[in-house]
Amino acid sequence: MSSSESAEAPAVSKKAAKKEAAKAEKLRRRMEEASISISAAAQAAEQENDPLSANYGDAPLSELQSKSEVDFPYTEVGSLAEHLKDQVVLVRGRAQTIRAVGKKMAFLVVRERGFTVQVVVTEQADVVSRQMVKYVAALNRESIIDVEGIVSVPAEPIKGASQKVEIQVRKLYCISRAVPTLPINLEDAARSEAEIQRALE
C-alpha cells in the first residue's frame, strides 16, 4: 500500500506544477497586457500635448471605412521613381524595418507587393514633431501604415530598398498594428541555407 501511495504522490505534484505554471503564464500575460495599455495611455497623453498630433497616430476605425470617394489617391510603391521628385504622394504598406537615429530622425522601409521604399521622418518645425519621431520609432514591424510625404532623390543611392527614391514624411498613420513579436520575420524567411548554416556556426 505504501508503494501505491508513493506512486500517487509524484502524479499529484506534476498536476500541481502544471497548475502553477498555467497560473504563472496567465499572470505574465496580464502583466504584459497591462504594460501595453499603460504605454499606449502614456503615448496618447504625450500626443495630446503635441500641436502636430493630427499629422500622426493610430487611424480610428471610422476613418478607415469607405464613405466617400478618396480625394487623394494612393501611389503604388513600385511606381515611385525619379520623375515624381518634389511631388506629394500617399503610400500604404507594411513597415518592414524601423530604425531610429537619435531623437530627431527615424528611417522606415515600407513594403508593398514586393517593392520597398525608404521613408525618412525628420523633426521639422510645423511639420514633424519630436513626438512623431518617437511614435514612428515605437511602431511594431509589419504594421500597416499610411505615409504622406514628398518624394526626394538622395545624393547617394539607397541600398536597402528597391526604389531609388525616398519619401520625406509629412504625415504617418498606423492602420493596423502588428503584434510585437511575430512568429517569423520576413528577413528570416528570405535567408538562404548557407546563411542559416553560417549563423549556426
Side-chain angles (χ1 to χ4, degrees), residues 77 91-99 107-112 115-117 119 135-147 172-179 182 185-187:
V77 171
V91 170
R92 178 172 285 179
R94 290 192 178 270
Q96 182 171 310
T97 58
I98 302 164
R99 182 172 54 95
F107 290 93
L108 291 95
V109 173
V110 176
R111 184 182 77 250
E112 182 205 21
F115 295 100
T116 55
V117 65
V119 173
Y135 170 83
V136 170
L139 283 171
N140 298 331
R141 287 170 45 183
E142 297 301 319
S143 294
I144 298 173
I145 57 173
D146 275 359
V147 176
L172 189 145
Y173 302 100
C174 183
I175 305 303
S176 177
R177 280 187 181 268
V179 290
L182 295 170
N185 292 326
L186 186 69
E187 289 84 9

Side-chain angles (χ1 to χ4, degrees), residues 2-153:
S2 61
S3 63
S4 66
E5 283 175 7
S6 63
E8 283 179 21
V12 171
S13 65
K14 275 186 181 179
K15 195 173 186 179
K18 280 186 178 180
K19 215 174 198 180
E20 285 299 316
K23 277 184 184 178
E25 178 64 20
K26 195 173 184 180
L27 180 64
R28 185 192 65 77
R29 284 185 187 160
R30 281 187 184 165
M31 296 288 281
E32 192 175 282
E33 287 171 6
S35 69
I36 288 170
S37 63
I38 288 168
S39 67
Q43 198 173 44
E46 192 173 281
Q47 207 170 326
E48 283 178 14
N49 297 332
D50 183 8
L52 300 173
S53 63
N55 292 348
Y56 66 97
D58 293 351
L61 182 62
S62 60
E63 288 184 20
L64 298 176
Q65 296 171 338
S66 299
K67 295 176 184 171
S68 61
E69 200 171 309
V70 179
D71 297 332
F72 195 66
Y74 286 96
T75 304
E76 290 187 3
V77 171
S79 66
L80 293 172
E82 293 179 9
H83 71 276
L84 293 172
K85 184 180 178 184
D86 298 327
Q87 291 187 29
V88 177
V89 293
L90 176 61
V91 170
R92 178 172 285 179
R94 290 192 178 270
Q96 182 171 310
T97 58
I98 302 164
R99 182 172 54 95
V101 181
K103 294 181 178 180
K104 297 184 178 186
M105 182 183 277
F107 290 93
L108 291 95
V109 173
V110 176
R111 184 182 77 250
E112 182 205 21
R113 296 184 187 172
F115 295 100
T116 55
V117 65
Q118 180 169 280
V119 173
V120 184
V121 185
T122 309
E123 184 181 356
Q124 299 172 38
D126 301 325
V127 180
V128 175
S129 64
R130 190 173 288 193
Q131 289 95 323
M132 181 175 176
V133 175
K134 187 177 178 182
Y135 170 83
V136 170
L139 283 171
N140 298 331
R141 287 170 45 183
E142 297 301 319
S143 294
I144 298 173
I145 57 173
D146 275 359
V147 176
E148 182 184 311
I150 299 169
V151 176
S152 66
V153 180

